[in-house]
Every structure is written in structure tokens, then in C-alpha cells.
Amino acid sequence: MSHALRAAAAAATATLLSFAAPAPASAGKADDTLNIAWAGELPTLDRYFNVLREGELVARMVFDSLLTVDPQTFDYKPLLASSYRFVDNRTIEFELRRDVRFHDGEPFDADDVVYTLNLMADPATRVLSRQNVDWIEKVEKIDTHMVRLTMKAPTPLALEYLSGPLLIYPRDYYSKVGSQGMGLRPVGTGPYKVTAFDPGKRIVFEANRAYFDGSPKGRPTIGRIVQRTIPDQNTQIAELLSGGVDWIWNVPNDQAAKLASMPNVVVQNAQTMRFGYLAFDASNRTGHSSPVNDVRVRQAIAHSIDRKTIVKRLVRGASEVIDAVCFPTQFGCVQDVATYDYDPGKAKALLADAGYPNGLDIEFHAYRDRPVAEAMIGYMKAVGINAKLTYLQYEALRDKVYNGETDFTFMSWGSYSINDAAASVSQFFKGSKDDYARDPQVIGWLEGADSAIDPATRKDLYGKALRRIAEQAYWQPLFTYNVNYVHSKDIAFTPTADEIPRFYAVTWK
């Protein structure tokens, strides 16, 4: 192991808490209240105007979409729709359920679907994730319980969007209170309704006892869920051990290992769709000459880093090394691409061939996992690459990336939990403000893949794009991430790879 990796591992070990031994009391089973905690502060519960992961957890509890995705099989299932059919490659018709009511008692029907989707697709509404709605041309009412959706062009991801981010709101309520009102007092059709919201501090959910039969989500079994925002991880753990909360997540591996030995505590580690990557300015977007403009330097950096050891020693858990710029289960994600195994000798030879026999200096940006970033810096230094770390908050680094101001970055991506390569490779290599390769061939292949309906054609085009990205080392994919979920033994909870805890499916043991 390199000196930098040993130092990073030692630093991580030094953060271990000295946990007290007593077992926690039951936090909520006695009064049918599930107490959960997370760190993210939600300023609004209107999902169209909040992109935080925690907002997605709330949205799945409070709202429904026309379809849903089975988290184990990734099959699409009707939710607010009772059935759907493709009329042609740009048109889908939905038959709607007739037994659904919103939390305020108003019946759900076609007017709500037409209102919500047309409103959010309108550029003037300025929803935060435009890619979720930009493909919609119009939604029309056929009758009270049937709607027709027309796409601007064939959109292979249509069902993905319709089964997750495109939530249906009540027309009468939202048109009256707007985003501000919905953000504070949300009204949906979901298995739980919000009865109290103190932004950044607390949300109280009550089971929707009128939730419709036959929903793939199932009827809620726990009567009340109370979420608390606790930014400090140590405080979360103390609350779990004292019985103040029943469930927390994103617990660091060292702390999770310690907690696993505690009585009445369950630790579950699960791989997620999020993966880490190194991105290079291959097309000279910064406008100044950079060593990473040369493919040989990019390949040298890739060969200099021992990804397997980093995963084993630092990332750990269910994480694994990947070679393509997508999550392995995503449709179209091929992994038979050029690989860059740890080979310091090859890295030095590539640097010399590129005109850097005595090494080079480069600025290196990151926003998370500092021990991992520092371990990679140590590996690069061993072959003559002196990477100077600039560590920023995510929003600040994202803006620098968008503005073409970074040569070399360590970032991560979760694909919005969409199980399709369009949500990963196309996000970054199709000429957008994220694209630092600007490769016309790759852009062409991805445009074709993202507009084709035939699955075989899509797979072929994604494969071509992914292989060229790897050959040219536009990115160096690193590894998938994992999450530690820690909870009371009183609850039955199942993690999923999309990193969306489904609290409506949690039950007491």
C-alpha cells in the first residue's frame, strides 16, 4: 500500500467513535411511530423545485406517478395509470385508475395529469431538472380517465421519467397555492401524507388509510413516521443508540463496523448506482494548454492509480471497480471497453512519450471523499505527476465545471437513479456544459442512441460511444459507491441499488 493510502486509512480509522455499550430502547414501535434521521435540509417539499436525494425519499412517500419501477427487477408497473399503450413511437395513451383520491379528499382524474405535466413541461415554469420534462410536447385529455401524451421526438427514457420524477399534483390545489404552498403543505395521492413540516428540522408523516388497493407500493403499515434533520453524524448515532431514532444512513464504514457489534442494531451495506470518476479537459475547454489535453497523459494518470486497493482499503463495502462511464445494470452499459489497470511503469513511459520525462504539475479539483482524493494524489506523485488539490463545495465545483474552468476533476454521479445509460454517458458526452471531450463521433452515436426505439440499435450505439470514451481516456471511471444503512432490529428494511429508501414499505418485526 502507498504511503498516501496508509495515511488516508489511518485518518479514517482515527475518526472511530468510542461507542457506549448499552442497547437502545425501542424508539417507536410501542406507539407505532418510525423515527428516521438524515443530514440534508429540505427547504421545500415541492419535488419539481428541489433536487436533493432526501427530497426524492419524501416524494415517493407523498406523491405517485403514472407508473413505477420494481426496484428488484426494474420492470415498469402501472401506478396512477391502470394501463398504458404506445400508439406510435411518439405517443402513449394512459388509462387512469378510478379509485384514487388526493390527501384532501379530491378525486384524481385526467385533469390533474394534463395540468401537472403540461405545466412542468412549460419552460416558463423553470423546474430544476429540465431533462425530466423537456421531451414532452403536450398532454391531452381524451376523457375523464384517459390521457394521451405526445413526445417531441421518440424518447426511449419516457417510461423511466413517467415512473419516477414526473409526479402528479392536484390541479385545483396547486393552481391555488403554487409551488410555495405545495412546498410547505404538500398534497398528493401517496401512501403517506404530511401533517407537519418545519423546514430544515422536522417532517411528520401519517399513513394514508384511504390509499388505493392494488398499488405496487402496497398499503402503508406503520401509522406515523417522523423525520428529523440532524446534520452531525455522531449525533445521529448517539440518537440511534439512545433510542431517539430507529433509522439512519450514510454512516461511514469504520463507524458502521463498530455499530454492527451493538445489540439491537442492524447494519446493512448496499451498492448504489452512484459511481466516482476522474474527468479530463480533453478538448481544451479552459482555453489554456494543459497536460491532460494529451491522451497519453490521461492514460498515464489512469494507469498510475490503484483503484482496487482504494476500494479495498478506503471505499470498502459492496463497491466495485468499473471501467465504463455508466453503472453496470443500466441499459446499454457495456463494460468490455479499454481498461487501465494499475501499472506505474506504463504510466511513466506514457508520460515520457508525451514529453514529460521529469513529470508534470497539474491542478486537481474535488468536492467529496478527501481521503480518496489524497490517496490518488499519492499514487500520481509516485510516477511524477504533482497534482495540487483544490477542495470545494459541490455547488462551487459544479459551477466551475459548467463554466469550463477545470482541467482535471474527481467527481461522482448517481444518474438520478435511472437505470439507463442515457442518464450517465449521455449526460456528460453529448455536447452539454458538462462535456469536456466534445467528440463529434461520440455525440453522434449518443444522439442516435437517445432517439432510437429499437433496443438493439440503442445498445450498439451506446457500446460504440463507451468504447471510444475509454480508448481516448476522456474519463477514468473509478468505482461504484455503497451506503451503510443502520437501524433498529425492530424494523424490516430492504435497501435497493437506486439509493431510494422506501419507507412506505418498512414494517415492524
Side-chain angles (χ1 to χ4, degrees):
M1 196 193 316
S2 73
H3 175 75
L5 193 56
R6 287 194 189 94
T13 302
T15 65
L16 282 172
L17 293 179
S18 297
F19 294 123
S26 175
K29 185 176 181 180
D31 62 356
D32 196 25
T33 299
L34 175 67
N35 294 279
I36 63 177
W38 59 57
E41 297 185 10
L42 291 173
T44 175
L45 301 186
D46 184 344
R47 183 57 179 160
Y48 287 98
F49 294 92
N50 121 46
V51 295
L52 296 175
R53 172 66 57 168
E54 291 81 0
E56 182 68 17
L57 313 192
V58 173
R60 298 295 179 110
M61 297 169 68
V62 179
F63 303 103
D64 290 318
S65 44
L66 290 173
L67 309 175
T68 190
V69 175
D70 185 305
Q72 306 300 331
T73 66
F74 299 107
D75 293 334
Y76 302 111
K77 295 183 176 181
L79 185 54
L80 288 177
S82 57
S83 64
Y84 65 96
R85 72 183 187 97
F86 279 86
V87 177
D88 54 45
N89 63 4
R90 289 183 53 228
T91 310
I92 315 175
E93 288 185 351
F94 297 89
E95 183 75 30
L96 306 178
R97 291 184 184 269
R98 299 169 184 268
D99 57 347
V100 179
R101 287 185 177 271
F102 287 98
H103 297 154
D104 60 1
E106 288 298 309
F108 157 78
D109 61 25
D111 289 332
D112 302 301
V113 177
V114 171
Y115 170 80
T116 302
L117 297 185
N118 282 332
L119 175 67
M120 301 308 173
D122 184 348
T125 304
R126 304 184 67 157
V127 302
L128 295 186
S129 296
R130 288 300 311 170
Q131 73 276 3
N132 293 343
V133 293
D134 272 343
W135 56 279
I136 297 174
E137 181 175 295
K138 60 182 177 180
V139 183
E140 303 167 283
K141 176 180 176 179
I142 298 176
D143 61 37
T144 307
H145 289 89
M146 181 171 282
V147 298
R148 177 183 295 120
L149 184 151
T150 304
M151 312 173 209
K152 295 176 181 176
T155 306
L157 278 182
L159 297 184
E160 282 284 343
Y161 294 133
L162 291 162
S163 62
L166 296 187
L167 309 166
I168 303 303
Y169 287 175
R171 180 192 63 174
D172 292 346
Y173 180 73
Y174 199 79
S175 61
K176 183 187 302 181
V177 305
S179 179
Q180 183 175 4
M182 180 66 91
L184 291 173
R185 297 177 179 83
V187 172
T189 60
Y192 281 88
K193 49 189 175 183
V194 173
T195 56
F197 175 43
D198 188 358
K201 296 181 180 178
R202 179 173 177 264
I203 310 172
V204 179
F205 305 88
E206 300 285 348
N208 177 11
R209 298 305 184 189
Y211 194 54
F212 58 94
D213 290 327
S215 167
K217 290 183 175 180
R219 281 182 170 275
T221 63
I222 294 179
R224 189 167 183 260
I225 299 176
V226 177
Q227 178 274 332
R228 292 165 56 200
T229 301
I230 304 177
D232 180 66
Q233 185 81 73
N234 293 349
T235 304
Q236 289 184 21
I237 292 172
E239 287 279 349
L240 180 77
L241 294 177
S242 67
V245 299
D246 299 289
W247 181 99
I248 59 177
W249 72 335
N250 291 319
V251 177
N253 283 314
D254 289 319
Q255 296 177 0
K258 196 87 169 179
L259 284 165
S261 65
M262 306 297 286
N264 296 325
V265 172
V266 175
V267 176
Q268 297 189 73
N269 180 272
Q271 186 174 224
T272 74
M273 282 189 181
R274 181 168 298 278
F275 60 88
Y277 63 88
L278 299 177
F280 307 107
D281 182 18
S283 63
N284 195 19
R285 269 186 60 180
T286 63
H288 62 256
S289 179
S290 168
V292 296
N293 299 155
D294 190 317
V295 63
R296 294 167 294 186
V297 172
R298 302 194 296 269
Q299 291 171 336
I301 291 172
H303 278 301
S304 74
I305 296 169
D306 188 348
R307 296 176 294 161
K308 290 182 180 179
T309 298
I310 287 175
V311 167
K312 181 179 179 181
R313 302 292 186 184
L314 295 180
V315 187
R316 292 183 284 180
S319 294
E320 60 183 356
V321 169
I322 58 171
D323 294 309
V325 295
C326 48
F327 186 72
T329 68
Q330 289 181 314
F331 178 89
C333 182
V334 301
Q335 292 291 322
D336 59 329
V337 299
T339 60
Y340 299 93
D341 294 332
Y342 177 52
D343 191 334
K346 185 176 289 187
K348 291 178 181 179
L350 283 163
L351 289 175
D353 190 49
Y356 300 98
N358 299 316
L360 58 86
D361 298 324
I362 191 167
E363 189 171 10
F364 181 42
H365 287 85
Y367 78 97
R368 64 176 296 164
D369 302 317
R370 191 166 192 141
V372 173
E374 291 175 346
M376 291 192 289
I377 288 171
Y379 279 122
M380 287 186 280
K381 187 175 181 63
V383 300
I385 300 169
N386 298 307
K388 179 184 176 182
L389 178 63
T390 299
Y391 197 78
L392 302 172
Q393 294 293 322
Y394 170 73
E395 291 78 8
L397 181 51
R398 177 200 60 198
D399 290 345
K400 289 180 74 69
V401 169
Y402 285 173
N403 294 331
E405 299 173 1
T406 58
D407 293 334
F408 178 26
T409 56
F410 166 37
M411 303 281 279
S412 75
W413 181 245
S415 297
Y416 299 107
S417 297
I418 292 174
N419 197 45
D420 193 291
S424 50
V425 61
S426 297
Q427 174 78 22
F428 295 94
F429 292 95
K430 218 167 73 171
S432 72
K433 56 189 176 183
D434 284 303
D435 189 354
Y436 274 68
R438 302 297 172 99
D439 186 318
Q441 272 191 305
V442 171
I443 292 171
W445 286 325
L446 293 177
E447 287 177 344
D450 290 347
S451 60
I453 296 298
D454 177 57
T457 299
R458 296 189 72 217
K459 286 182 180 179
D460 177 64
L461 292 172
Y462 283 132
K464 288 178 178 176
L466 289 166
R467 291 183 186 99
R468 179 159 175 81
I469 290 166
E471 289 166 2
Q472 295 298 310
Y474 291 141
W475 273 18
Q476 170 62 346
L478 297 170
F479 46 76
T480 60
Y481 278 92
N482 65 82
V483 170
N484 285 310
Y485 304 87
V486 184
H487 58 81
S488 162
K489 286 185 176 179
D490 284 339
I491 65 173
F493 167 76
T494 303
T496 53
D498 60 11
E499 205 177 342
I500 301 173
R502 290 163 169 79
F503 296 110
Y504 55 80
V506 173
T507 60
W508 297 118
K509 286 186 177 178

